[in-house]
Amino acid sequence: MRRITEEASLYDDLEQKPVAELLRDINREDHRVADAVEQALPQITRLTEAIVERMRQGGRLFYIGAGTSGRLGVLDASELPPTYGTDPRLVVGLIAGGDTALRHAVEHAEDDEQQGWNDLMGQGIASGDTVIGIAASGTTPYVVGALREARRHGVVTGCITSNPGTPLETESDYPVVIIVGPEFVTGSSRMKSGTAQKMVLNMISTTVMIRLGRVKGNKMVDMELTNEKLIDRAVRMVMDHDHLSYDAAKKELMRKSLDAIMREPEAAE
């Protein structure tokens, strides 16, 4: 099995390069990521359509990973409730080693082939749900084992990986393989592979939320107004929707929820 993520960097003698050259070379490599994601758009489309269909029937979405991959899944899942007003249990991110691993490495947590499924069962996973395994290598036991057991229990599986022909791809009903090439620092998959994972997660979750009716026009109509920035954004949305002054829109927002206002027909000019 070819592990592109472990192949030698295209660059060498990095410690001898000036800062400007290092940054320019990293940026050059980052440009490759969007092109690699574009090549995988058909795979991403199939996975996203499957998720939408199942979530419309009451299913949930789980991300599961280790290290950087796990952190990115938890990040994406945790941003959906404030952004789209979703129940935190609707999209759940799991990381090998639990919440401690978000800040500190948990030794050998990713090597436990059974723990991933145990963590999913702890969240009450059901056959109507979807699990996306995230692992640049495509071989992480915690993630591969979770997907294998998920399929055995009738759960639809997908993955995001940077290597083709891996066990993770084999255990996925809807694999997404993003070939970003060798990392700038050999084996440092938090770089291009991590950037690709972040991009794909953004694409999937945003598209799912749109298809589930959490966006009207181009506005996040169900966002939680938890700070001044979001309150100001909501006021301006109401201003635009109902053609009101800032103060009048703010008063209207105090009377009704943003969701209720934005789903009403636009006020006449």
Side-chain angles (χ1 to χ4, degrees):
M1 181 183 67
R2 182 186 178 193
R3 296 182 63 175
I4 299 172
T5 53
E6 294 296 324
E7 291 181 356
S9 171
L10 303 177
Y11 305 81
D12 204 354
D13 300 319
L14 301 183
E15 74 280 6
Q16 299 178 25
K17 295 178 181 288
V19 168
E21 185 176 353
L22 288 168
L23 296 176
R24 184 172 59 250
D25 289 345
I26 291 171
N27 180 246
R28 180 183 297 117
E29 287 304 299
D30 284 344
H31 274 281
R32 302 178 190 270
V33 177
D35 291 338
V37 170
E38 182 180 14
Q39 292 299 311
L41 279 174
Q43 294 180 323
I44 301 169
T45 299
R46 287 191 289 270
L47 173 57
T48 306
E49 288 176 342
I51 294 168
V52 170
E53 180 181 351
R54 296 172 74 77
M55 293 188 80
R56 281 177 171 165
Q57 297 172 7
R60 296 189 293 159
L61 173 61
F62 292 88
Y63 302 137
I64 189 163
T68 297
S69 300
R71 293 182 187 102
L72 289 170
V74 172
L75 172 64
D76 193 80
S78 66
E79 290 181 339
L80 298 181
T83 305
Y84 295 106
T86 58
D87 187 317
R89 295 168 296 182
L90 186 65
V91 181
V92 177
L94 298 173
I95 180 171
D99 287 352
T100 299
L102 293 173
R103 292 182 178 272
H104 306 283
V106 178
E107 296 298 330
H108 303 298
E110 69 177 54
D111 298 326
D112 190 331
E113 192 167 327
Q114 183 59 40
Q115 188 57 47
W117 177 245
N118 291 341
D119 289 346
L120 287 167
M121 287 196 299
Q123 296 291 326
I125 191 167
S127 59
D129 298 331
T130 307
V131 180
I132 298 179
I134 313 169
S137 67
T139 60
T140 307
Y142 175 83
V143 183
V144 174
L147 263 62
R148 181 178 298 121
E149 286 299 310
R151 294 182 89 185
R152 286 186 61 244
H153 287 81
V155 179
V156 166
T157 60
C159 74
I160 304 171
T161 183
S162 298
N163 288 317
T166 63
L168 187 61
E169 184 178 1
T170 299
E171 297 297 344
S172 298
D173 299 308
Y174 297 95
V176 175
V177 184
I178 312 294
I179 310 297
V180 297
E183 296 289 358
F184 180 73
V185 174
T186 300
S188 183
S189 56
R190 75 183 186 89
M191 299 187 74
K192 288 193 296 182
S193 292
T195 299
Q197 290 168 359
K198 174 62 173 166
M199 291 177 68
V200 174
L201 288 168
N202 280 348
M203 295 165 71
I204 291 172
S205 60
T206 300
T207 302
V208 167
M209 291 297 109
I210 293 170
R211 299 301 293 171
L212 293 181
R214 299 283 174 166
V215 171
K216 181 178 180 182
N218 56 19
K219 305 293 196 306
M220 301 173 288
V221 295
D222 290 308
M223 65 181 180
E224 296 178 358
L225 308 185
T226 54
N227 58 49
E228 291 300 322
K229 178 188 73 174
L230 297 180
I231 292 171
D232 179 72
R233 181 186 299 163
V235 170
R236 296 183 185 282
M237 288 167 60
V238 175
M239 288 175 63
D240 182 61
H241 185 269
D242 286 349
H243 312 292
L244 298 173
S245 68
Y246 189 94
D247 289 341
K250 196 165 188 177
K251 289 180 181 178
E252 182 70 2
L253 195 58
M254 293 175 65
R255 292 194 318 109
K256 299 180 183 178
S257 69
L258 177 63
D259 173 50
I261 295 170
M262 296 304 294
R263 295 187 191 284
E264 293 173 348
E266 288 194 24
E269 290 282 3

